[in-house]
């Protein structure tokens, strides 16, 4: 009997896992004992870290796109369709267009979506660099911005790439400074809790840099509404800030079908944070942003989790006890300007300790971004 | 045991900091003034996060109930 593994979502986690399985289960795939299908709602993979550089005119959105059929091993069946329903009792997926599909093992790697409409006025008044259109529209504003108030507001958590809001204000500061405009631009950073980052170790590292560079900080700031005409953003805590350019990290959610399938709230799958198995259904895994593990929504997390899920699935298919577990490993470069960056590595047990910023780490980040497609192909 | 009847319960047990506080803030966003949210958290940091945020935001922390392996925070939306 053929074991059918279906991966939903062709982002970092989905493509790394598909290629991992193509390699790990090569004998079973060749013999027809296993089928691996990767489902994505479009023909391309989007590498989102590129968007951080788009507003500064340093990257184009096309730099973050590649065809999935060029990234994924030929042994994997690629299906371009959108899943409309997950039935974990019948172990069946329904689709927008094509016929339904049954699975023996399901992996959900559907990622994050943006929901700016949750905050009145945010979609009209705010810009973002968490979407391709957001990044290009922000670029159109930022490249001609020479004076005024810029507010970077982290509205929703969890959000993709927790370091990116810090990176953006550090880059903005340096970018205007190098162009001799910094004195004409005020930069304010807002964060929902009492420090500047969710992780206390990163917050403790970042705050003095912000103070030193004149980046104003508003903590305990949970955006309640935006008035695009008046150019103001108001928090639940009663603080109102004026802005000339508002850049937000919009509220995030997973995809609706996860909640509809009873696998978790807000589109995040409740999982065992070590095995990445869904709590509410058998033979279902989640990885990347989709898995509610409490670790950052970051590509490195999806990458490492994909290796764990691949190893566990191979054990499952071969009838052996699955022993691979995820230890919370996360790697992250943090830009601290236009030509310097820090780096953190941490896991469930060991907290991050940001490396001293250097040009070498900045170039390491850019070099990794260029070579990311080797990761997607399962080579790096 | 408190006799406060919450309008909504948010179970954040198992969540790492600042998950419980963000779950509470999310719940407060979705209810009307006067509604009471009960937050369940086993994260020690919630004992400082929740009172600090309640004071900052003007919402009232009505009671904190210590249970065997977690605490229940009752917050009324202003």
């Amino acid at each position: 009997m053929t074991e059918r593994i279906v991966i939903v979502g062709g982002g970092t986690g989905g493509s790394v896992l598909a290629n991992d399985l193509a390699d790990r289960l090569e004998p079973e795939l060749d013999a027809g004992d296993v089928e691996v299908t990767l489902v994505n709602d479009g023909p391309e993979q989007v590498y989102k870290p590129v968007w951080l550089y788009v507003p500064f005119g340093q990257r184009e959105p096309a730099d973050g796109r590649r065809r999935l059929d060029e990234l994924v091993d030929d042994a994997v069946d690629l299906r371009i369709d959108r899943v409309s329903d997950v039935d974990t009792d019948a172990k069946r997926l329904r689709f927008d267009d094509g016929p339904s599909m049954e699975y023996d093992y399901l992996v959900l790697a559907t990622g994050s979506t943006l929901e700016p409409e949750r905050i009145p006025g945010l979609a009209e008044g705010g810009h973002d660099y968490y979407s391709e259109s957001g990044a290009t529209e922000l670029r159109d504003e930022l490249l001609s911005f020479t004076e005024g108030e810029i507010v970077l507001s982290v509205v929703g958590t969890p959000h993709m790439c927790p370091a990116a809001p810090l990176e953006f204000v550090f880059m903005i500061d340096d970018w205007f400074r190098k162009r001799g405009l910094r004195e004409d631009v005020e930069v304010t950073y807002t964060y929902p809790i009492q420090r500047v980052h969710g992780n206390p170790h990163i917050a403790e590292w970042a705050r003095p840099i912000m103070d030193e560079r004149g980046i104003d900080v508003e903590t305990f700031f949970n955006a309640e509404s935006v008035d695009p005409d008046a150019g103001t953003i108001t928090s639940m805590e009663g603080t109102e800030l004026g802005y000339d350019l508002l850049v937000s990290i919009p509220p995030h959610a997973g995809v609706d079908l996860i909640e509809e399938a009873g696998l978790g709230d807000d589109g995040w799958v409740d999982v065992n944070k070590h095995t990445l198995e869904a709590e509410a259904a058998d033979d279902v895994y989640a990885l990347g942003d989709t898995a509610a593990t409490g670790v950052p929504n970051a590509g490195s997390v999806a990458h490492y989790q994909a290796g764990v899920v691949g190893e566990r699935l191979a054990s499952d298919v071969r009838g052996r006890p699955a022993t691979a577990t995820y230890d919370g490993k996360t790697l992250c470069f943090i830009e601290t300007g236009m030509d310097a960056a820090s780096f953190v590595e941490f896991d469930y047990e060991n907290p991050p300790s940001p490396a001293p910023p250097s040009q070498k780490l900045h170039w390491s980040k850019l070099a990794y971004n260029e070579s990311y497609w080797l990761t997607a192909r399962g080579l790096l | 045991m408190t006799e406060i009847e919450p309008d909504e319960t948010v179970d954040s047990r198992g969540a790492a900091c600042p998950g419980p506080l963000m779950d509470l803030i999310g719940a407060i966003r979705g209810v009307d003034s006067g509604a009471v949210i009960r937050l369940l958290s086993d994260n020690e940091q919630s004992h400082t996060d929740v009172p600090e945020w309640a004071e900052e935001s003007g919402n009232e922390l009505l009671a904190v109930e210590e249970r065997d392996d977690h605490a229940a925070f009752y917050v009324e939306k202003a």
Side-chain angles (χ1 to χ4, degrees):
Chain A
M1 198 183 87
T2 303
E3 300 270 21
R4 296 153 301 182
I5 300 171
V6 181
I7 306 162
V8 183
T12 298
S15 64
V16 173
L17 176 60
N19 285 321
D20 178 285
L21 291 172
D23 182 42
R24 205 182 289 275
L25 293 174
E26 187 178 0
E28 287 86 351
L29 283 159
D30 286 347
D33 296 334
V34 172
E35 288 174 3
V36 177
T37 303
L38 176 63
V39 182
N40 198 55
D41 60 359
E44 291 181 316
Q45 178 175 114
V46 180
Y47 182 54
K48 298 174 181 179
V50 164
W51 296 337
L52 174 64
Y53 302 92
V54 170
F56 300 94
Q58 295 195 339
R59 286 286 185 282
E60 297 300 320
D63 296 337
R65 288 183 168 273
R66 291 286 189 281
R67 287 187 61 88
L68 273 170
D69 57 10
E70 293 172 2
L71 297 175
V72 174
D73 193 292
D74 289 342
V76 174
D77 296 324
L78 187 60
R79 177 166 177 175
I80 307 304
D81 204 341
R82 190 172 179 81
V83 176
S84 58
D85 177 65
V86 178
D87 183 338
T88 56
D89 293 327
K91 299 181 112 173
R92 186 173 54 231
L93 303 175
R94 289 195 172 81
F95 294 85
D96 277 359
D97 296 322
S100 63
M101 179 188 285
E102 294 185 345
Y103 66 82
D104 296 292
Y105 299 97
L106 175 66
V107 183
L108 295 167
T110 41
S112 297
T113 60
L114 305 182
E115 296 194 335
E117 60 281 0
R118 280 203 225 163
I119 308 297
L122 182 60
E124 301 78 21
H127 290 82
D128 72 80
Y129 53 99
Y130 273 62
S131 61
E132 201 172 282
S133 61
T136 53
E137 287 166 21
L138 176 57
R139 176 185 62 195
D140 295 344
E141 293 291 323
L142 192 62
L143 292 182
S144 55
F145 194 92
T146 54
E147 60 178 344
E149 294 186 26
I150 297 178
V151 173
L152 182 291
S153 185
V154 179
V155 179
T157 66
H159 62 76
M160 293 178 276
C161 193
L166 291 172
E167 293 183 289
F168 189 79
V169 291
F170 289 152
M171 290 167 74
I172 277 279
D173 167 73
D174 195 29
W175 190 63
F176 281 116
R177 211 173 280 278
K178 285 191 165 75
R179 297 164 61 223
L181 297 169
R182 183 64 176 92
E183 287 183 6
D184 302 321
V185 177
E186 288 182 39
V187 180
T188 302
Y189 174 95
T190 84
Y191 204 72
I193 60 171
Q194 71 274 45
R195 53 181 183 265
V196 298
H197 191 271
N199 185 296
H201 302 274
I202 294 174
E204 195 178 321
W205 165 80
R207 181 64 196 256
I209 302 175
M210 299 171 99
D211 292 342
E212 182 188 315
R213 290 163 63 168
I215 296 166
D216 295 331
V217 170
E218 288 282 343
T219 52
F220 273 145
F221 188 101
N222 287 277
E224 186 163 52
S225 63
V226 174
D227 185 337
D229 296 328
T232 57
I233 178 169
T234 305
S235 76
M236 293 168 71
E237 293 80 10
T239 304
E240 181 180 287
L241 296 174
Y243 67 82
D244 295 299
L245 177 60
L246 173 63
V247 184
S248 86
I249 314 304
H252 284 41
V255 297
D256 292 341
L257 61 89
I258 286 169
E259 191 158 340
E260 290 161 9
L263 292 168
D265 295 332
D266 297 325
W268 317 123
V269 178
D270 292 329
V271 294
N272 176 308
K273 70 178 190 176
H274 298 288
T275 67
L276 305 172
E277 292 169 322
E279 302 277 11
D282 293 332
D283 301 321
V284 177
Y285 289 91
L287 57 82
D289 297 4
T290 313
T293 55
V295 298
N297 292 355
S300 65
V301 169
H303 179 181
Y304 294 124
Q305 290 180 341
V308 171
V309 173
E311 200 173 332
R312 293 188 71 86
L313 282 169
S315 299
D316 291 338
V317 164
R318 291 168 177 159
R320 302 173 190 163
T323 57
T325 53
Y326 175 61
D327 62 0
K329 186 176 180 182
T330 306
L331 296 187
C332 186
F333 289 98
I334 307 173
E335 296 281 22
T336 55
M338 300 309 288
D339 54 12
S342 177
F343 175 79
V344 288
E345 178 176 3
F346 53 102
D347 57 38
Y348 289 139
E349 303 298 328
N350 302 290
S353 177
S358 68
Q359 192 176 47
K360 188 173 75 174
L361 285 170
H362 166 71
W363 284 110
S364 298
K365 172 160 180 156
L366 295 188
Y368 179 75
N369 283 358
E370 290 298 318
S371 55
Y372 162 74
W373 302 107
L374 296 175
T375 293
R377 288 188 170 96
L379 300 172
L380 180 65
Chain B
M1 293 287 283
T2 173
E3 292 179 1
I4 301 167
E5 274 298 317
D7 295 278
E8 195 176 309
T9 295
V10 178
D11 188 349
S12 297
R13 286 175 290 179
C17 179
L21 177 60
M22 293 312 300
D23 291 345
L24 172 67
I25 293 169
I28 290 278
R29 279 185 191 278
V31 297
D32 294 330
S33 178
V36 175
I37 304 293
R38 175 171 59 189
L39 171 71
L40 307 181
S41 172
D42 53 11
N43 190 309
E44 195 56 34
Q45 185 71 29
S46 296
H47 285 277
T48 49
D49 283 0
V50 173
E52 278 186 37
W53 181 73
E55 185 176 348
E56 182 79 16
S57 61
N59 299 296
E60 188 176 359
L61 178 59
L62 300 175
V64 181
E65 194 178 278
E66 297 295 340
R67 301 181 177 179
D68 287 346
D69 56 356
H70 67 281
F73 300 82
Y74 293 79
V75 180
E76 180 177 347
K77 182 169 180 174

